[in-house]
Amino acid sequence: MSAPGSGFATRSLQTDAQFLKGVGPRLAPLLAKAGLRTVYDVLLHLPRRYEDRTNLPPIRNLRPGQFATIRGTVSDFEGRSARRGGVVVLKALVGDATGTATLVWFNQPWITKRLAGYDGEIIAYGLVKEGTYGCEIHSPEFELLGDDDDPDAFAKIVPVYPLVEGLQQFVVRRAVDAALEGYLGFVEDPLPEEFRRRHKLQKLQWAIRQVHHPESEEFRLKARKRLVFDEFFHHQVGLAMRRAETQLERGIAFGLADVPDLKAQVHQMFPFELTGAQSRVVEEIWSDMASPHPMNRLVQGDVGSGKTAVAAAALLAAIRCGFQGALMAPTEILAEQHCAHLHRLLDPLGVRTALLVGKQTPTQKKKAAAAVAKGEADLAIGTHALIQEGVEFQRLGLVVIDEQHRFGVLQRLALREKALGNPDVLVMTATPIPRTLTMTLYGDLELSVIDEMPPGRQPIKTWWKLPHERPSVYDAVRKLVSEGRQAYIVCPMVSEGEKMLAQAAEELYARLSQKEFPDLRVGLLHGQLKVSEKEAAMDRFRAGEIDVLVSTTVIEVGVDVPNATIMVVEDANRFGLSQLHQLRGRVGRGSEQSFCVLVADAKTDDARERMDALVGTSDGFKIAETDLRLRGPGEIAGTRQSGNLDFKIADLVQDGVLLEAARQAAMELIAEDPGLKRPEHAKIRERALRQPGEVAVIASS
């Protein structure tokens, strides 16, 4: 289809949807509720499924439970609505030479205007159900057939679009058809013909038309492939461009070769040998640090794999080269734990640490900030307090960010800008992320994976118990406590509100301390406690003065108490799968056998599959893949904070192979034309620099 001629001069893909034929100012607000404000939005509002109406069986062959298209004559219509419990029920009897069926509508009085007194032919589609007097089709879509009407115009493969309340399918279909006929010619293809041929991709205009009205299943799949590839490809091009730009920036080029005993100092830090995976990742980090370009590396490691030891080796290297290090953690509890742990490791080597967290008094903050500014502190550890005004570094060289997904992009950038030049950035996460998600979230970062657990760690034995089995679960807790161990009991995720979570924790604490374990020392920890109360609870638990700690997910990341060997998660079906894996990682920190019990009334297939996944494996990456498939990318690892992954078409679960292909194509293109300066790549460059989640459609002027 060629671009529209001069008669379309005032039109573009950004034309308001109300100007589409059949929409107008009355229906436009309904489309806007669904996010369809422009012609562009309408063209890319893709069907969620399709209805095959091409099969027209005789009415006598209808069977309950199947979707079917029927054609017949209306012989009776109940024009006077029957009211049952306030519901308006309308019925039309339709027959052909083989039998009759009843069409039924609920609370749709406008049907009366079309069918009252009508005795001609009708064609209808819907789900067949068993009725009192034979087969019925409830709330069918239908068309009345006049002498000149073509039944094939209705009996075809029909797109079914996502809707919002008040918006009907026929309105969206009419708008899409108007957009296809009047505006598809404005769509320019950003991919050169030779590129499309090399990657076996269809033209963009053809793909958009076919994905709305596929001529066959083969064409629909080819059309979807092109649109999915576009989304992934342009997103990956943007990441590849940023990665290439980083390689052109000047970094610090740490003089690690001038610290000949660095490996010996790292060995001196730890009372154990690093695993092969830890040693490999440390070498990868040190290689980046010695490079003249700034490091941007992500370290992924499952719970308990030893990421902190790797971070300590990186920080020591930066400090020995005359620079300062900074470590930013998402919570005060984790920041304090990092500070205590790193102080124990680094203090014997003469490294000075400073802690900066929100709970400190103004005097404490001022003293810590002054030490960092004067260079008296080699390493600053803290929460978002590190990026506040008034905190300055004398010579910041390495930034370590723990649990990257919990910080917004601007927060990470603010810490990086505390340095005079381009500091090296090391990102760590204990949240296993599926490969497809890693490529979309962190495609501009180098990746290291700690895929080996320290020796002596025993797998955590996990069980799923039903609510009525709680007494036996609590008996197991009591038995382990009698043997000198400690327990976590995590309260239900009743809501996202901190106050509601605190209330649930307090109610569970009252029940357990008064009824279940009145003879044990039960503690309480949740986000609404005063800082001093939270600190006191954790200190007492670490010291063994609390037998059972009732907590919210404030313990999810980083809390390390080796003597705690059992965790009970109440109403585990309320939690995300990866979150449950993170919680489970709070036990099994020592050499003793540890246990996790998930108490869950899992009634749906998805809920049961999630519980079975936890019981069946301790591999965080396998669990993350299952979580991605069940919940989608927006919920995994807090990815909403890390970038828009709400692709319109692509599915990170089912389209992993296409993502790999798009990523490879993007890397090859940037290697060939780093700045995309060639004329044939101009549209790719324009599209790649936009936000992800849009298909590559360029509006003509």
Side-chain angles (χ1 to χ4, degrees):
M1 179 177 178
S2 59
S6 58
F8 291 79
T10 60
R11 298 184 182 186
S12 78
L13 294 178
Q14 299 308 312
T15 295
D16 195 296
Q18 72 167 313
F19 296 112
L20 288 170
K21 183 179 179 181
V23 178
R26 184 176 65 85
L27 295 176
L30 289 175
L31 291 176
K33 281 177 62 178
L36 310 180
R37 295 176 176 81
T38 67
V39 170
Y40 170 87
D41 297 328
V42 173
L43 280 174
L44 272 299
H45 188 64
L46 301 193
R48 58 184 174 86
R49 63 182 177 87
Y50 300 84
E51 293 176 348
D52 186 353
R53 302 178 179 178
T54 57
N55 181 30
L56 274 167
I59 289 179
R60 71 179 175 192
N61 290 349
L62 293 179
R63 295 293 180 268
Q66 65 179 176
F67 282 91
T69 306
I70 65 170
R71 180 181 181 182
T73 302
V74 178
S75 59
D76 185 38
F77 177 73
E78 291 188 6
R80 290 186 298 174
S81 304
R83 293 185 175 273
R84 297 200 306 245
V87 178
V88 178
V89 183
L90 303 176
K91 296 182 178 182
L93 189 65
V94 177
D96 63 9
T98 69
T100 59
T102 304
L103 307 182
V104 184
W105 294 269
F106 302 92
N107 288 334
Q108 298 182 60
W110 59 271
I111 298 291
T112 303
K113 296 179 181 178
R114 297 193 66 188
L115 289 179
Y118 180 75
D119 58 2
E121 274 201 300
I122 188 173
I123 188 166
Y125 174 87
L127 178 63
V128 180
K129 296 188 175 184
E130 185 70 51
T132 306
Y133 303 105
C135 287
E136 297 181 348
I137 300 180
H138 290 193
S139 301
E141 293 190 45
F142 69 94
E143 290 292 341
L144 305 181
L145 296 178
D147 293 337
D148 298 328
D149 291 329
D150 179 8
D152 290 340
F154 183 90
K156 59 185 179 182
I157 297 175
V158 177
V160 179
Y161 295 96
L163 302 174
V164 295
E165 185 178 0
L167 182 62
Q168 294 179 293
Q169 279 291 343
F170 80 89
V171 174
V172 180
R173 288 175 184 149
R174 191 163 60 193
V176 168
D177 289 346
L180 288 172
E181 294 312 308
Y183 293 84
L184 188 58
F186 286 112
V187 173
E188 296 183 66
D189 201 323
L191 302 184
E193 183 178 351
E194 191 280 329
F195 182 96
R196 293 198 308 270
R197 190 164 49 245
R198 190 192 325 160
H199 294 282
K200 299 179 180 178
L201 299 170
Q202 301 296 321
K203 292 182 178 180
L204 187 54
Q205 288 188 16
W206 181 91
I208 292 174
R209 183 178 289 281
Q210 286 293 324
V211 83
H212 286 291
H213 295 297
E215 296 176 33
S216 67
E217 179 64 5
E218 178 189 0
F219 283 6
R220 184 191 72 81
L221 291 174
K222 286 183 177 181
R224 186 180 182 278
K225 175 187 174 182
R226 168 62 206 266
L227 299 178
V228 169
F229 185 93
D230 271 25
E231 278 196 309
F232 283 151
F233 174 70
H234 289 90
H235 177 63
Q236 290 297 316
V237 167
L239 293 174
M241 289 177 70
R242 290 208 295 273
R243 194 167 176 171
E245 288 167 2
T246 299
Q247 293 302 311
L248 297 176
E249 294 178 355
R250 297 299 299 177
I252 292 174
F254 291 88
L256 301 184
D258 298 328
V259 190
D261 60 342
L262 185 56
K263 288 187 178 180
Q265 292 186 51
V266 169
H267 183 77
Q268 182 183 341
M269 268 200 299
F270 305 114
F272 52 82
E273 291 289 333
L274 295 181
T275 65
Q278 286 174 310
S279 298
R280 169 176 46 78
V281 172
V282 168
E283 290 294 341
E284 290 170 352
I285 293 169
W286 283 356
S287 176
D288 282 357
M289 293 176 69
S291 163
H293 309 296
M295 172 174 68
N296 282 286
R297 182 169 289 275
L298 168 67
V299 174
Q300 276 188 313
D302 209 342
V303 175
S305 61
K307 293 175 298 301
T308 304
V310 168
L315 289 164
L316 179 65
I319 291 165
R320 286 295 185 252
C321 290
F323 291 86
Q324 292 172 294
L327 189 152
M328 187 161 69
T331 67
E332 292 191 358
I333 287 177
L334 186 52
E336 290 170 346
Q337 186 161 293
H338 275 314
C339 188
H341 187 49
L342 290 171
H343 179 75
R344 286 196 302 272
L345 294 175
L346 296 169
D347 185 60
L349 299 176
V351 174
R352 302 160 296 180
T353 57
L355 177 67
L356 275 160
V357 291
K359 73 174 186 180
Q360 290 173 316
T361 65
T363 301
Q364 290 173 323
K365 287 180 184 176
K366 187 175 180 180
K367 182 179 179 182
V372 173
K374 294 176 183 177
E376 296 170 357
D378 304 303
L379 172 60
I381 303 165
T383 57
H384 60 278
L386 284 178
I387 61 175
Q388 292 175 347
E389 290 185 17
V391 179
E392 302 296 336
F393 290 79
Q394 186 183 68
R395 204 176 182 214
L396 179 60
L398 174 64
V399 175
V400 178
I401 300 173
D402 196 13
E403 294 303 326
Q404 148 110 348
H405 62 275
R406 292 168 179 254
F407 293 103
V409 174
L410 294 179
Q411 288 175 307
R412 298 194 295 270
L413 184 61
L415 179 56
R416 184 169 180 168
E417 289 178 346
K418 294 285 184 180
L420 296 177
N422 282 319
D424 282 6
V425 176
L426 180 65
V427 171
M428 302 193 303
T429 180
T431 304
I433 303 173
R435 176 168 169 75
T436 52
L437 203 52
T438 300
M439 282 190 286
T440 51
L441 275 174
Y442 304 122
D444 56 336
L445 303 180
E446 301 294 334
L447 176 65
S448 292
V449 179
I450 306 177
D451 52 7
E452 181 183 356
M453 298 298 283
R457 287 282 175 90
Q458 299 186 49
I460 301 164
K461 293 183 178 180
T462 305
W463 288 280
W464 164 32
K465 299 292 184 180
L466 294 170
H468 72 267
E469 297 177 282
R470 275 194 181 93
S472 64
V473 174
Y474 293 157
D475 286 344
V477 171
R478 182 179 294 281
K479 183 177 184 298
L480 285 170
V481 170
S482 71
E483 296 172 359
R485 306 298 166 216
Q486 294 165 275
Y488 296 101
I489 297 185
V490 181
C491 76
M493 178 74 77
V494 292
S495 76
E496 293 298 328
E498 282 291 336
K499 289 186 178 180
M500 290 288 289
L501 284 172
Q503 182 180 343
E506 288 172 354
E507 290 172 357
L508 180 61
Y509 167 75
R511 178 168 64 84
L512 293 178
S513 60
Q514 295 169 21
K515 296 182 179 179
E516 303 293 345
F517 305 121
D519 55 326
L520 300 183
R521 299 168 297 178
V522 182
L524 175 64
L525 181 66
H526 61 69
Q528 291 292 294
L529 290 174
K530 294 179 181 177
V531 172
S532 59
E533 293 172 330
K534 284 190 284 189
E535 189 176 55
M538 278 311 305
D539 287 345
R540 290 181 62 210
F541 192 58
R542 289 192 190 98
E545 297 171 6
I546 290 176
D547 300 313
V548 178
L549 182 65
V550 178
S551 176
T552 60
T553 55
V554 71
I555 62 160
E556 178 184 352
V557 175
V559 174
D560 191 354
V561 181
N563 193 49
T565 59
I566 184 168
M567 168 171 288
V568 179
V569 183
E570 297 281 358
D571 289 356
N573 50 295
R574 294 177 179 266
F575 295 83
L577 193 53
S578 291
Q579 188 174 40
L580 287 171
H581 180 62
Q582 288 292 307
L583 287 167
R584 176 170 61 178
R586 295 313 100 215
V587 295
R589 314 296 289 185
S591 58
E592 296 291 330
Q593 178 63 60
S594 292
F595 310 89
C596 178
V597 184
L598 309 170
V599 180
D601 188 12
K603 296 180 179 178
T604 66
D605 290 342
D606 279 359
R608 286 189 288 271
E609 184 177 354
R610 288 165 57 222
M611 296 303 105
D612 289 340
L614 260 296
V615 172
T617 183
S618 58
D619 186 326
F621 290 94
K622 289 182 180 178
I623 288 169
E625 291 285 356
T626 302
D627 210 11
L628 175 63
R629 177 167 51 82
L630 293 176
R631 293 201 298 157
E635 297 290 339
I636 307 301
T639 55
R640 287 186 182 141
Q641 301 176 42
S642 305
N644 177 17
L645 293 184
D646 295 328
F647 292 113
K648 287 180 179 292
I649 308 156
D651 183 322
L652 289 174
V653 177
Q654 73 176 67
D655 296 322
V657 173
L658 266 180
L659 174 56
E660 292 273 8
R663 181 171 185 262
Q664 186 62 36
M667 292 170 63
E668 291 173 358
L669 180 66
I670 296 304
E672 176 188 332
D673 182 11
L676 298 181
K677 301 296 185 183
R678 297 180 188 173
E680 65 268 29
H681 297 151
K683 292 187 178 69
I684 296 178
R685 186 176 194 279
E686 177 185 341
R687 170 62 189 87
L689 295 178
R690 301 182 202 165
Q691 290 294 312
E694 300 173 13
V695 171
V697 179
I698 311 298
S700 299
S701 58

